[in-house]
Amino acid sequence: MDQNVLDSVYIAGELVVLNLEAVDDQDAIDKLAHHMYDRGIVKESYIDAVKEREKVFSTGLPCADFGVAIPHTDIDHVNRDAVGIAILKNPVNFKMMGTPDVEIETKMMFMLALKTPHGQLAFLSSLMEIFQEEGSLASLVNLTDKDEIASQFKKLLAK
């Protein structure tokens, strides 16, 4: 990933939620979006905007290790470039990106809060590479320290 884009994106332990309990995709999005809002990363409008966008443009993806989701929304709801990470206590189903009639059992969420359209594309491209590499997500989900998860995620992005 472009080092300038990577350096501008805040990835830290305070944005990692372990064992997130959610009844469905909307609940999971709501909880992680509120977590990011409480830390000043996104505007209050982000919470509903990201939930509404997910209904129209689903973000579930089957990956080498397990299903993930990358909920995000328009740049005008973002205060600071960042990524929230949630490891779900129990997987929830997200509709598959580009194929909304297929559901993906999702174990991790990467919630993007990016302020530039170019930044979103570059970041999504880097995420896709990580998602396709067997073992990369498993290495994150098995960690129990939030700072270590953030640090390892940054290393994966920097490859």
Side-chain angles (χ1 to χ4, degrees), residues 33-93:
H34 270 94
H35 185 80
M36 293 175 71
Y37 170 70
D38 290 344
R39 282 144 189 86
I41 301 298
V42 296
K43 298 173 183 169
E44 189 172 13
S45 61
Y46 180 92
I47 299 165
D48 286 336
V50 75
K51 287 168 37 181
E52 288 305 311
R53 187 187 184 285
E54 187 70 26
K55 291 176 186 175
V56 179
F57 300 106
S58 48
T59 64
L61 291 169
C63 298
D65 295 327
F66 44 75
V68 301
I70 50 172
H72 55 283
T73 193
D74 300 324
I75 60 177
D76 51 327
H77 302 286
V78 175
N79 291 328
R80 178 179 184 189
D81 288 333
V83 177
I85 301 171
I87 298 172
L88 297 156
K89 182 172 184 174
N90 298 302
V92 297
N93 288 334

